[in-house]
């Protein structure tokens, strides 16, 4: 198996598990009809009716008629507008429903037999990245898969943090989680919260906002001194995560990947995060730990 980290409410040792139920990401619940929903996405993207019309090979007049309910858009035209506004796949279904059409994109549980190839690919990717840490999260940052590098970092945390779905943001920023081990906690916390704020603005997800409000309210202890190894100067090219493990300070650069042109809601909301060693000492330590 890929990991010993309990994910999505599973027992330890299960690497990939399907998502139960649907995420709560929604657009404005007070909006009725496709017009207000479309206008909301256009304004959120700060795009004028004229600019959207030019992108979609239409006219500002037609866009205005759609937004005010004077014209019903075709299914294909609505999807074209959603594409130019970078509307999340889940919310494209909401637009279609509001316009009286059937949802176009399926939401297939990750443990469905039809997702077998995807699960195997994710497991191979995570295993191939070892000894370096890597994980897969959903739209709420619930962990759906992780490798042994992540299991090593999480080793020794209280059991209650693993109850229910393991949430990457919660376990990182919780006062009993990884937070006390992170040497540059204030900087890394600020980076994570800003990342969530951007996603909330783009996705309008109530579920993600709930997670954000919870982790943002966690107390932040005095971080102390973030001392670098004596005599070692590393030219970091991005903000590193500096975290203690068994008396060593490890440094990582985070990289996040998503799927291009997804046709399934579940796949569209998956993200693969890999932690790249930011210095030779971290790389050497991880190789020794996994050997």
């Amino acid at each position: 198996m890929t990991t010993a980290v309990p994910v999505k409410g599973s027992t330890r040792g299960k690497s990939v598990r399907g998502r139960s139920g649907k995420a709560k990401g929604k657009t404005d619940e007070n909006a009725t009809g496709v017009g207000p929903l479309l206008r909301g996405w256009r304004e959120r993207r700060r795009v004028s009716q004229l600019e959207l019309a030019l992108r979609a090979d239409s006219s500002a007049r037609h866009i205005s008629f759609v937004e005010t309910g004077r014209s019903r858009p075709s299914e294909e035209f609505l999807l074209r507008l959603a594409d130019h506004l970078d509307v999340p796949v889940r919310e494209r279904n909401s637009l279609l429903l509001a316009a009286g059409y059937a949802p176009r994109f399926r939401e297939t549980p990750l443990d469905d037999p039809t997702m077998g190839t995807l699960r195997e690919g994710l497991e191979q990717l995570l295993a191939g990245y070892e000894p370096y840490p890597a994980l897969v999260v959903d739209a709420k940052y619930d962990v759906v898969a992780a490798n042994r590098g992540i299991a090593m970092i999480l080793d020794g945390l209280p059991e209650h943090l693993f109850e229910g779905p393991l949430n990457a943001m919660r376990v990182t920023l919780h006062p009993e989680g990884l937070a006390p081990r992170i040497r540059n906690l204030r900087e890394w916390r600020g980076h994570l919260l800003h990342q969530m704020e951007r996603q909330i603005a783009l996705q309008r997800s109530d579920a993600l906002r709930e997670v954000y409000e919870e982790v943002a309210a966690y107390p932040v202890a005095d971080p102390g001194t973030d001392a670098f190894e004596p005599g070692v100067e590393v030219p970091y090219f991005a903000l590193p995560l500096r975290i203690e493990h068994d008396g060593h300070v490890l440094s990582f650069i985070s990289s996040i990947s998503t799927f291009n042109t997804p046709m399934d809601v579940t796949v569209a909301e998956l993200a693969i995060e890999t932690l790249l060693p930011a210095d030779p000492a971290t790389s050497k330590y991880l190789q020794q730990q996994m050997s």
Side-chain angles (χ1 to χ4, degrees), residues 24-273:
K24 297 180 180 179
K26 298 180 181 178
T27 50
D28 187 357
E29 295 181 351
N30 295 323
T32 58
V34 68
L37 288 176
L38 182 63
R39 182 174 63 250
W41 283 110
R42 180 180 59 76
E43 292 175 347
R44 184 169 290 269
R45 297 297 187 261
R46 299 182 179 181
V47 175
S48 68
Q49 290 180 341
L50 178 59
E51 183 178 355
L52 179 58
L54 292 174
R55 294 180 185 179
D57 192 24
S58 182
S59 68
R61 178 184 176 86
H62 190 192
I63 299 296
S64 176
F65 276 24
V66 170
E67 292 185 353
T68 57
R70 297 177 64 184
S71 176
R72 182 185 183 224
S74 69
E75 184 176 1
E76 293 304 321
F77 181 65
L78 185 57
L79 288 174
R80 187 159 76 247
L81 294 179
D83 184 54
H84 286 292
L85 291 174
D86 197 24
V87 176
V89 172
R90 178 183 296 280
E91 301 302 335
R92 298 186 190 196
N93 279 343
S94 298
L95 285 171
L96 290 170
L97 284 169
Y101 301 111
R104 174 72 66 91
F105 306 98
R106 297 179 57 190
E107 184 175 5
T108 310
L110 202 53
D111 56 2
D112 188 276
T114 61
M115 303 288 263
T117 301
L118 175 64
R119 292 196 306 272
E120 292 174 6
L122 290 174
E123 290 178 354
Q124 292 175 6
L125 188 152
L126 296 180
Y129 198 70
E130 292 178 354
Y132 308 141
L135 70 161
V136 182
V137 297
D138 66 12
K140 295 193 302 178
Y141 288 94
D142 285 346
V143 180
V144 298
N147 66 6
R148 292 187 300 158
I150 292 294
M152 182 196 77
I153 291 176
L154 299 181
D155 185 46
L157 295 184
E159 286 293 327
H160 70 84
L161 292 177
F162 298 94
E163 295 175 356
L166 175 65
N167 185 275
M169 291 295 183
R170 184 177 294 117
V171 77
T172 299
L173 298 178
H174 196 283
E176 297 180 47
L178 295 178
R181 305 180 185 179
I182 299 177
R183 298 293 291 271
N184 58 336
L185 176 59
R186 291 190 182 276
E187 292 82 1
W188 193 251
R189 176 181 180 273
H191 156 68
L192 294 182
L193 293 180
H194 182 57
Q195 176 177 307
M196 296 178 75
E197 289 166 359
R198 291 200 312 269
Q199 289 182 271
I200 290 171
L202 292 173
Q203 301 175 9
R204 304 175 72 173
S205 168
D206 294 336
L208 182 58
R209 181 175 293 279
E210 290 177 6
V211 176
Y212 171 84
E213 291 175 351
E214 176 189 339
V215 300
Y218 290 158
V220 182
D222 184 2
T225 303
D226 180 20
F228 290 85
E229 295 296 329
V232 177
E233 292 186 5
V234 180
Y236 293 119
F237 50 87
L239 177 68
L241 165 65
R242 291 179 49 79
I243 186 168
E244 294 183 4
H245 183 270
D246 198 22
H248 297 264
V249 177
L250 308 180
S251 296
F252 297 100
I253 299 297
S254 171
S255 174
I256 298 178
S257 305
T258 56
F259 290 90
N260 286 331
T261 60
M263 299 297 293
D264 188 284
V265 174
T266 299
V267 178
E269 295 180 346
L270 293 178
I272 306 165
E273 180 170 12

